[in-house]
Amino acid sequence: MAELYRKMQLARAYVPFQQYTRRFEPFDGLMRGTIFPELFMPYRPKEMIGRSEG
Amino acid sequence: MWLYEKKLQYPVRVSGPNPWLAKNIITQYGGPDGELSASLRYLTQRYTMPIPEAKGTLTDIGTEELAHMEIVAALVYNLIKDAPLEQIKAHGMDGYYADHDRALYFVDATGNPWTATYIQSKGDPITDLYENMAAEEKARSTYEWLINLSDDPLVTEALRFLRMREIVHFQRFGETLRLVQEWADRKKIY
Amino acid sequence: MRRDRRELLLRIMALDFTALELNLYLDTHPRDARALEDYNKVTQELFTLRQEYQERYGPLIHFGHGFSKYPWQWIEEPWPWEMTF
Ligand SMILES: [Fe+2]
């Protein structure tokens, strides 16, 4: 990680590379919207803090 | 060229006629951060992408966005096809009805027609990829506001699927950006 | 749509989605041998399922990608936006 930071430059955005290890079963993946567990980030409106609608 | 596969990417279901919801969801058909904008943006930027990974990513995500456009169209179509005129009036969709009946047209939630000014193709691949990452975030936010608005749990399922796709696309554009940055750095050295 | 047809179509949709996800991943990770092996495995499975579906219900993809019985099955309803799952 320190090595990665040294190589980073100012005024640039960096997204880390995904490393594929496992996936959801096909139908499960379709229902979730991704087959990759590490990318599955469902929307939970109630958890949003500081929003007027709660 | 492109091929058509006679199926949706995601099994769309709706609980019943709901012109009010259709009127809002249609923004992901023809609105600024909608699927038509997404698809056309990537499919036109791909010609000036410098590396094979970027050409592939823009072609494939641009194609997937066409499938998303079809999902949104299927939602809107099924939400208005059996809606009685009284309901269309009561739900504030009478203005849309005056111009299009129950047909599909590219407009946002307040009726503004789609325009090419929603997208950009800059010739600088790094600039274009930043635009695409921002576009995915804008689409994700729109789906979240639509999920907040939705009063049909079956429609919400499809909206959640489409929202998740924007996160995956953001990741892929982010990786593509890294690869193009490395390519640009190599070019500077030699 | 009849139940067995719907179930077969859903299996194709699910596998199709796995193939699409692996495809997008491979676009930015072309040297990931495991993902590639998985992609080819899913593609093989998809090929078999598509053939089974097309034999029973007609072409799933147009322009020379699936056989049709008489009369021309491609235009048979329902179209994707008319299907209820
Ligand atoms: Fe997207």
mmCIF file with all atom_site columns, all heavy atoms in Angstrom, chain B residues 35 38 42 61 64-65 68 135-136 139 162 165-167 169-170 173, ligand 1:
data_model
loop_
_atom_site.group_PDB
_atom_site.id
_atom_site.type_symbol
_atom_site.label_atom_id
_atom_site.label_alt_id
_atom_site.label_comp_id
_atom_site.label_asym_id
_atom_site.label_entity_id
_atom_site.label_seq_id
_atom_site.pdbx_PDB_ins_code
_atom_site.Cartn_x
_atom_site.Cartn_y
_atom_site.Cartn_z
_atom_site.occupancy
_atom_site.B_iso_or_equiv
_atom_site.pdbx_formal_charge
_atom_site.auth_seq_id
_atom_site.auth_comp_id
_atom_site.auth_asym_id
_atom_site.auth_atom_id
_atom_site.pdbx_PDB_model_num
ATOM   1   N  N   . GLU B 1 35  ? -30.377 6.181  -19.449 1.00 0.00 ? 35  GLU B N   1
ATOM   2   C  CA  . GLU B 1 35  ? -29.676 5.090  -20.131 1.00 0.00 ? 35  GLU B CA  1
ATOM   3   C  C   . GLU B 1 35  ? -29.362 5.412  -21.592 1.00 0.00 ? 35  GLU B C   1
ATOM   4   O  O   . GLU B 1 35  ? -28.350 4.961  -22.124 1.00 0.00 ? 35  GLU B O   1
ATOM   5   C  CB  . GLU B 1 35  ? -30.495 3.797  -20.020 1.00 0.00 ? 35  GLU B CB  1
ATOM   6   C  CG  . GLU B 1 35  ? -30.805 3.373  -18.577 1.00 0.00 ? 35  GLU B CG  1
ATOM   7   C  CD  . GLU B 1 35  ? -29.566 2.944  -17.782 1.00 0.00 ? 35  GLU B CD  1
ATOM   8   O  OE1 . GLU B 1 35  ? -28.477 2.851  -18.379 1.00 0.00 ? 35  GLU B OE1 1
ATOM   9   O  OE2 . GLU B 1 35  ? -29.692 2.717  -16.559 1.00 0.00 ? 35  GLU B OE2 1
ATOM   10  N  N   . ALA B 1 38  ? -26.257 7.470  -21.411 1.00 0.00 ? 38  ALA B N   1
ATOM   11  C  CA  . ALA B 1 38  ? -25.115 6.623  -21.049 1.00 0.00 ? 38  ALA B CA  1
ATOM   12  C  C   . ALA B 1 38  ? -24.631 5.842  -22.264 1.00 0.00 ? 38  ALA B C   1
ATOM   13  O  O   . ALA B 1 38  ? -23.453 5.879  -22.624 1.00 0.00 ? 38  ALA B O   1
ATOM   14  C  CB  . ALA B 1 38  ? -25.516 5.675  -19.919 1.00 0.00 ? 38  ALA B CB  1
ATOM   15  N  N   . TYR B 1 42  ? -20.883 6.469  -24.307 1.00 0.00 ? 42  TYR B N   1
ATOM   16  C  CA  . TYR B 1 42  ? -19.775 5.500  -24.376 1.00 0.00 ? 42  TYR B CA  1
ATOM   17  C  C   . TYR B 1 42  ? -19.555 5.016  -25.800 1.00 0.00 ? 42  TYR B C   1
ATOM   18  O  O   . TYR B 1 42  ? -18.416 4.851  -26.236 1.00 0.00 ? 42  TYR B O   1
ATOM   19  C  CB  . TYR B 1 42  ? -20.026 4.309  -23.442 1.00 0.00 ? 42  TYR B CB  1
ATOM   20  C  CG  . TYR B 1 42  ? -20.425 4.723  -22.039 1.00 0.00 ? 42  TYR B CG  1
ATOM   21  C  CD1 . TYR B 1 42  ? -21.288 3.958  -21.267 1.00 0.00 ? 42  TYR B CD1 1
ATOM   22  C  CD2 . TYR B 1 42  ? -19.928 5.911  -21.496 1.00 0.00 ? 42  TYR B CD2 1
ATOM   23  C  CE1 . TYR B 1 42  ? -21.662 4.356  -19.994 1.00 0.00 ? 42  TYR B CE1 1
ATOM   24  C  CE2 . TYR B 1 42  ? -20.295 6.312  -20.221 1.00 0.00 ? 42  TYR B CE2 1
ATOM   25  C  CZ  . TYR B 1 42  ? -21.171 5.534  -19.476 1.00 0.00 ? 42  TYR B CZ  1
ATOM   26  O  OH  . TYR B 1 42  ? -21.541 5.930  -18.226 1.00 0.00 ? 42  TYR B OH  1
ATOM   27  N  N   . ILE B 1 61  ? -19.835 -1.717 -22.128 1.00 0.00 ? 61  ILE B N   1
ATOM   28  C  CA  . ILE B 1 61  ? -20.740 -1.006 -21.215 1.00 0.00 ? 61  ILE B CA  1
ATOM   29  C  C   . ILE B 1 61  ? -21.773 -0.220 -22.030 1.00 0.00 ? 61  ILE B C   1
ATOM   30  O  O   . ILE B 1 61  ? -22.955 -0.215 -21.691 1.00 0.00 ? 61  ILE B O   1
ATOM   31  C  CB  . ILE B 1 61  ? -19.954 -0.107 -20.225 1.00 0.00 ? 61  ILE B CB  1
ATOM   32  C  CG1 . ILE B 1 61  ? -19.076 -0.985 -19.311 1.00 0.00 ? 61  ILE B CG1 1
ATOM   33  C  CG2 . ILE B 1 61  ? -20.919 0.735  -19.371 1.00 0.00 ? 61  ILE B CG2 1
ATOM   34  C  CD1 . ILE B 1 61  ? -18.311 -0.237 -18.236 1.00 0.00 ? 61  ILE B CD1 1
ATOM   35  N  N   . GLU B 1 64  ? -24.356 -2.669 -22.876 1.00 0.00 ? 64  GLU B N   1
ATOM   36  C  CA  . GLU B 1 64  ? -25.193 -3.028 -21.724 1.00 0.00 ? 64  GLU B CA  1
ATOM   37  C  C   . GLU B 1 64  ? -26.194 -1.918 -21.424 1.00 0.00 ? 64  GLU B C   1
ATOM   38  O  O   . GLU B 1 64  ? -27.341 -2.190 -21.052 1.00 0.00 ? 64  GLU B O   1
ATOM   39  C  CB  . GLU B 1 64  ? -24.353 -3.334 -20.476 1.00 0.00 ? 64  GLU B CB  1
ATOM   40  C  CG  . GLU B 1 64  ? -25.234 -3.886 -19.352 1.00 0.00 ? 64  GLU B CG  1
ATOM   41  C  CD  . GLU B 1 64  ? -24.537 -4.072 -18.012 1.00 0.00 ? 64  GLU B CD  1
ATOM   42  O  OE1 . GLU B 1 64  ? -23.310 -3.917 -17.915 1.00 0.00 ? 64  GLU B OE1 1
ATOM   43  O  OE2 . GLU B 1 64  ? -25.271 -4.377 -17.043 1.00 0.00 ? 64  GLU B OE2 1
ATOM   44  N  N   . GLU B 1 65  ? -25.783 -0.655 -21.597 1.00 0.00 ? 65  GLU B N   1
ATOM   45  C  CA  . GLU B 1 65  ? -26.700 0.457  -21.311 1.00 0.00 ? 65  GLU B CA  1
ATOM   46  C  C   . GLU B 1 65  ? -27.927 0.410  -22.233 1.00 0.00 ? 65  GLU B C   1
ATOM   47  O  O   . GLU B 1 65  ? -29.022 0.823  -21.835 1.00 0.00 ? 65  GLU B O   1
ATOM   48  C  CB  . GLU B 1 65  ? -25.996 1.806  -21.454 1.00 0.00 ? 65  GLU B CB  1
ATOM   49  C  CG  . GLU B 1 65  ? -24.719 1.977  -20.621 1.00 0.00 ? 65  GLU B CG  1
ATOM   50  C  CD  . GLU B 1 65  ? -24.930 2.051  -19.116 1.00 0.00 ? 65  GLU B CD  1
ATOM   51  O  OE1 . GLU B 1 65  ? -26.018 1.742  -18.633 1.00 0.00 ? 65  GLU B OE1 1
ATOM   52  O  OE2 . GLU B 1 65  ? -23.957 2.449  -18.429 1.00 0.00 ? 65  GLU B OE2 1
ATOM   53  N  N   . HIS B 1 68  ? -30.257 -1.686 -20.592 1.00 0.00 ? 68  HIS B N   1
ATOM   54  C  CA  . HIS B 1 68  ? -30.893 -0.982 -19.471 1.00 0.00 ? 68  HIS B CA  1
ATOM   55  C  C   . HIS B 1 68  ? -31.994 -0.053 -19.965 1.00 0.00 ? 68  HIS B C   1
ATOM   56  O  O   . HIS B 1 68  ? -33.036 0.097  -19.330 1.00 0.00 ? 68  HIS B O   1
ATOM   57  C  CB  . HIS B 1 68  ? -29.855 -0.179 -18.684 1.00 0.00 ? 68  HIS B CB  1
ATOM   58  C  CG  . HIS B 1 68  ? -28.843 -1.053 -18.016 1.00 0.00 ? 68  HIS B CG  1
ATOM   59  N  ND1 . HIS B 1 68  ? -27.719 -0.571 -17.405 1.00 0.00 ? 68  HIS B ND1 1
ATOM   60  C  CD2 . HIS B 1 68  ? -28.801 -2.410 -17.870 1.00 0.00 ? 68  HIS B CD2 1
ATOM   61  C  CE1 . HIS B 1 68  ? -27.014 -1.585 -16.914 1.00 0.00 ? 68  HIS B CE1 1
ATOM   62  N  NE2 . HIS B 1 68  ? -27.643 -2.696 -17.186 1.00 0.00 ? 68  HIS B NE2 1
ATOM   63  N  N   . ALA B 1 135 ? -20.773 10.278 -14.729 1.00 0.00 ? 135 ALA B N   1
ATOM   64  C  CA  . ALA B 1 135 ? -22.080 9.896  -15.276 1.00 0.00 ? 135 ALA B CA  1
ATOM   65  C  C   . ALA B 1 135 ? -22.651 8.695  -14.529 1.00 0.00 ? 135 ALA B C   1
ATOM   66  O  O   . ALA B 1 135 ? -23.857 8.649  -14.236 1.00 0.00 ? 135 ALA B O   1
ATOM   67  C  CB  . ALA B 1 135 ? -21.958 9.584  -16.770 1.00 0.00 ? 135 ALA B CB  1
ATOM   68  N  N   . GLU B 1 136 ? -21.795 7.727  -14.205 1.00 0.00 ? 136 GLU B N   1
ATOM   69  C  CA  . GLU B 1 136 ? -22.264 6.553  -13.473 1.00 0.00 ? 136 GLU B CA  1
ATOM   70  C  C   . GLU B 1 136 ? -22.756 6.949  -12.078 1.00 0.00 ? 136 GLU B C   1
ATOM   71  O  O   . GLU B 1 136 ? -23.749 6.411  -11.584 1.00 0.00 ? 136 GLU B O   1
ATOM   72  C  CB  . GLU B 1 136 ? -21.148 5.508  -13.356 1.00 0.00 ? 136 GLU B CB  1
ATOM   73  C  CG  . GLU B 1 136 ? -20.739 4.884  -14.701 1.00 0.00 ? 136 GLU B CG  1
ATOM   74  C  CD  . GLU B 1 136 ? -21.861 4.091  -15.350 1.00 0.00 ? 136 GLU B CD  1
ATOM   75  O  OE1 . GLU B 1 136 ? -22.723 3.561  -14.640 1.00 0.00 ? 136 GLU B OE1 1
ATOM   76  O  OE2 . GLU B 1 136 ? -21.868 4.008  -16.598 1.00 0.00 ? 136 GLU B OE2 1
ATOM   77  N  N   . ALA B 1 139 ? -26.141 8.658  -12.413 1.00 0.00 ? 139 ALA B N   1
ATOM   78  C  CA  . ALA B 1 139 ? -27.195 7.669  -12.654 1.00 0.00 ? 139 ALA B CA  1
ATOM   79  C  C   . ALA B 1 139 ? -27.509 6.913  -11.359 1.00 0.00 ? 139 ALA B C   1
ATOM   80  O  O   . ALA B 1 139 ? -28.674 6.665  -11.043 1.00 0.00 ? 139 ALA B O   1
ATOM   81  C  CB  . ALA B 1 139 ? -26.760 6.696  -13.747 1.00 0.00 ? 139 ALA B CB  1
ATOM   82  N  N   . LEU B 1 162 ? -30.664 -1.898 -11.450 1.00 0.00 ? 162 LEU B N   1
ATOM   83  C  CA  . LEU B 1 162 ? -30.034 -0.887 -12.319 1.00 0.00 ? 162 LEU B CA  1
ATOM   84  C  C   . LEU B 1 162 ? -29.050 -0.025 -11.539 1.00 0.00 ? 162 LEU B C   1
ATOM   85  O  O   . LEU B 1 162 ? -27.977 0.324  -12.045 1.00 0.00 ? 162 LEU B O   1
ATOM   86  C  CB  . LEU B 1 162 ? -31.124 -0.027 -12.984 1.00 0.00 ? 162 LEU B CB  1
ATOM   87  C  CG  . LEU B 1 162 ? -31.987 -0.792 -14.003 1.00 0.00 ? 162 LEU B CG  1
ATOM   88  C  CD1 . LEU B 1 162 ? -33.252 -0.010 -14.349 1.00 0.00 ? 162 LEU B CD1 1
ATOM   89  C  CD2 . LEU B 1 162 ? -31.186 -1.100 -15.271 1.00 0.00 ? 162 LEU B CD2 1
ATOM   90  N  N   . ARG B 1 165 ? -25.753 -1.809 -11.111 1.00 0.00 ? 165 ARG B N   1
ATOM   91  C  CA  . ARG B 1 165 ? -24.965 -1.837 -12.341 1.00 0.00 ? 165 ARG B CA  1
ATOM   92  C  C   . ARG B 1 165 ? -24.092 -0.593 -12.475 1.00 0.00 ? 165 ARG B C   1
ATOM   93  O  O   . ARG B 1 165 ? -22.996 -0.654 -13.011 1.00 0.00 ? 165 ARG B O   1
ATOM   94  C  CB  . ARG B 1 165 ? -25.867 -1.963 -13.591 1.00 0.00 ? 165 ARG B CB  1
ATOM   95  C  CG  . ARG B 1 165 ? -26.689 -3.232 -13.679 1.00 0.00 ? 165 ARG B CG  1
ATOM   96  C  CD  . ARG B 1 165 ? -25.870 -4.473 -13.436 1.00 0.00 ? 165 ARG B CD  1
ATOM   97  N  NE  . ARG B 1 165 ? -24.816 -4.665 -14.425 1.00 0.00 ? 165 ARG B NE  1
ATOM   98  C  CZ  . ARG B 1 165 ? -23.625 -5.245 -14.170 1.00 0.00 ? 165 ARG B CZ  1
ATOM   99  N  NH1 . ARG B 1 165 ? -23.338 -5.677 -12.966 1.00 0.00 ? 165 ARG B NH1 1
ATOM   100 N  NH2 . ARG B 1 165 ? -22.735 -5.376 -15.124 1.00 0.00 ? 165 ARG B NH2 1
ATOM   101 N  N   . GLU B 1 166 ? -24.603 0.551  -11.972 1.00 0.00 ? 166 GLU B N   1
ATOM   102 C  CA  . GLU B 1 166 ? -23.829 1.799  -12.075 1.00 0.00 ? 166 GLU B CA  1
ATOM   103 C  C   . GLU B 1 166 ? -22.561 1.707  -11.231 1.00 0.00 ? 166 GLU B C   1
ATOM   104 O  O   . GLU B 1 166 ? -21.521 2.243  -11.593 1.00 0.00 ? 166 GLU B O   1
ATOM   105 C  CB  . GLU B 1 166 ? -24.668 3.011  -11.637 1.00 0.00 ? 166 GLU B CB  1
ATOM   106 C  CG  . GLU B 1 166 ? -26.095 3.090  -12.219 1.00 0.00 ? 166 GLU B CG  1
ATOM   107 C  CD  . GLU B 1 166 ? -26.147 3.106  -13.727 1.00 0.00 ? 166 GLU B CD  1
ATOM   108 O  OE1 . GLU B 1 166 ? -25.091 3.116  -14.383 1.00 0.00 ? 166 GLU B OE1 1
ATOM   109 O  OE2 . GLU B 1 166 ? -27.271 3.117  -14.275 1.00 0.00 ? 166 GLU B OE2 1
ATOM   110 N  N   . ILE B 1 167 ? -22.638 1.005  -10.109 1.00 0.00 ? 167 ILE B N   1
ATOM   111 C  CA  . ILE B 1 167 ? -21.457 0.851  -9.253  1.00 0.00 ? 167 ILE B CA  1
ATOM   112 C  C   . ILE B 1 167 ? -20.411 -0.020 -9.946  1.00 0.00 ? 167 ILE B C   1
ATOM   113 O  O   . ILE B 1 167 ? -19.219 0.301  -9.948  1.00 0.00 ? 167 ILE B O   1
ATOM   114 C  CB  . ILE B 1 167 ? -21.885 0.258  -7.880  1.00 0.00 ? 167 ILE B CB  1
ATOM   115 C  CG1 . ILE B 1 167 ? -22.756 1.280  -7.141  1.00 0.00 ? 167 ILE B CG1 1
ATOM   116 C  CG2 . ILE B 1 167 ? -20.671 -0.147 -7.055  1.00 0.00 ? 167 ILE B CG2 1
ATOM   117 C  CD1 . ILE B 1 167 ? -23.429 0.753  -5.889  1.00 0.00 ? 167 ILE B CD1 1
ATOM   118 N  N   . HIS B 1 169 ? -20.107 -0.428 -13.166 1.00 0.00 ? 169 HIS B N   1
ATOM   119 C  CA  . HIS B 1 169 ? -19.576 0.366  -14.290 1.00 0.00 ? 169 HIS B CA  1
ATOM   120 C  C   . HIS B 1 169 ? -18.547 1.393  -13.797 1.00 0.00 ? 169 HIS B C   1
ATOM   121 O  O   . HIS B 1 169 ? -17.526 1.610  -14.444 1.00 0.00 ? 169 HIS B O   1
ATOM   122 C  CB  . HIS B 1 169 ? -20.710 1.089  -15.034 1.00 0.00 ? 169 HIS B CB  1
ATOM   123 C  CG  . HIS B 1 169 ? -21.622 0.154  -15.760 1.00 0.00 ? 169 HIS B CG  1
ATOM   124 N  ND1 . HIS B 1 169 ? -22.816 0.547  -16.311 1.00 0.00 ? 169 HIS B ND1 1
ATOM   125 C  CD2 . HIS B 1 169 ? -21.515 -1.175 -16.029 1.00 0.00 ? 169 HIS B CD2 1
ATOM   126 C  CE1 . HIS B 1 169 ? -23.400 -0.493 -16.886 1.00 0.00 ? 169 HIS B CE1 1
ATOM   127 N  NE2 . HIS B 1 169 ? -22.632 -1.545 -16.724 1.00 0.00 ? 169 HIS B NE2 1
ATOM   128 N  N   . PHE B 1 170 ? -18.831 2.016  -12.671 1.00 0.00 ? 170 PHE B N   1
ATOM   129 C  CA  . PHE B 1 170 ? -17.877 2.984  -12.105 1.00 0.00 ? 170 PHE B CA  1
ATOM   130 C  C   . PHE B 1 170 ? -16.534 2.299  -11.858 1.00 0.00 ? 170 PHE B C   1
ATOM   131 O  O   . PHE B 1 170 ? -15.469 2.835  -12.191 1.00 0.00 ? 170 PHE B O   1
ATOM   132 C  CB  . PHE B 1 170 ? -18.424 3.565  -10.794 1.00 0.00 ? 170 PHE B CB  1
ATOM   133 C  CG  . PHE B 1 170 ? -17.519 4.601  -10.187 1.00 0.00 ? 170 PHE B CG  1
ATOM   134 C  CD1 . PHE B 1 170 ? -17.662 5.939  -10.505 1.00 0.00 ? 170 PHE B CD1 1
ATOM   135 C  CD2 . PHE B 1 170 ? -16.517 4.236  -9.291  1.00 0.00 ? 170 PHE B CD2 1
ATOM   136 C  CE1 . PHE B 1 170 ? -16.813 6.900  -9.957  1.00 0.00 ? 170 PHE B CE1 1
ATOM   137 C  CE2 . PHE B 1 170 ? -15.666 5.177  -8.737  1.00 0.00 ? 170 PHE B CE2 1
ATOM   138 C  CZ  . PHE B 1 170 ? -15.817 6.518  -9.068  1.00 0.00 ? 170 PHE B CZ  1
ATOM   139 N  N   . PHE B 1 173 ? -14.770 1.680  -15.230 1.00 0.00 ? 173 PHE B N   1
ATOM   140 C  CA  . PHE B 1 173 ? -14.210 2.915  -15.792 1.00 0.00 ? 173 PHE B CA  1
ATOM   141 C  C   . PHE B 1 173 ? -13.006 3.371  -14.969 1.00 0.00 ? 173 PHE B C   1
ATOM   142 O  O   . PHE B 1 173 ? -12.042 3.895  -15.513 1.00 0.00 ? 173 PHE B O   1
ATOM   143 C  CB  . PHE B 1 173 ? -15.264 4.022  -15.859 1.00 0.00 ? 173 PHE B CB  1
ATOM   144 C  CG  . PHE B 1 173 ? -16.252 3.841  -16.982 1.00 0.00 ? 173 PHE B CG  1
ATOM   145 C  CD1 . PHE B 1 173 ? -17.622 3.948  -16.751 1.00 0.00 ? 173 PHE B CD1 1
ATOM   146 C  CD2 . PHE B 1 173 ? -15.817 3.566  -18.273 1.00 0.00 ? 173 PHE B CD2 1
ATOM   147 C  CE1 . PHE B 1 173 ? -18.535 3.781  -17.791 1.00 0.00 ? 173 PHE B CE1 1
ATOM   148 C  CE2 . PHE B 1 173 ? -16.728 3.394  -19.312 1.00 0.00 ? 173 PHE B CE2 1
ATOM   149 C  CZ  . PHE B 1 173 ? -18.087 3.502  -19.070 1.00 0.00 ? 173 PHE B CZ  1
HETATM 150 FE FE  . FE  D 2 .   ? -24.082 2.463  -16.289 1.00 0.00 ? 1   FE  D FE  1
#
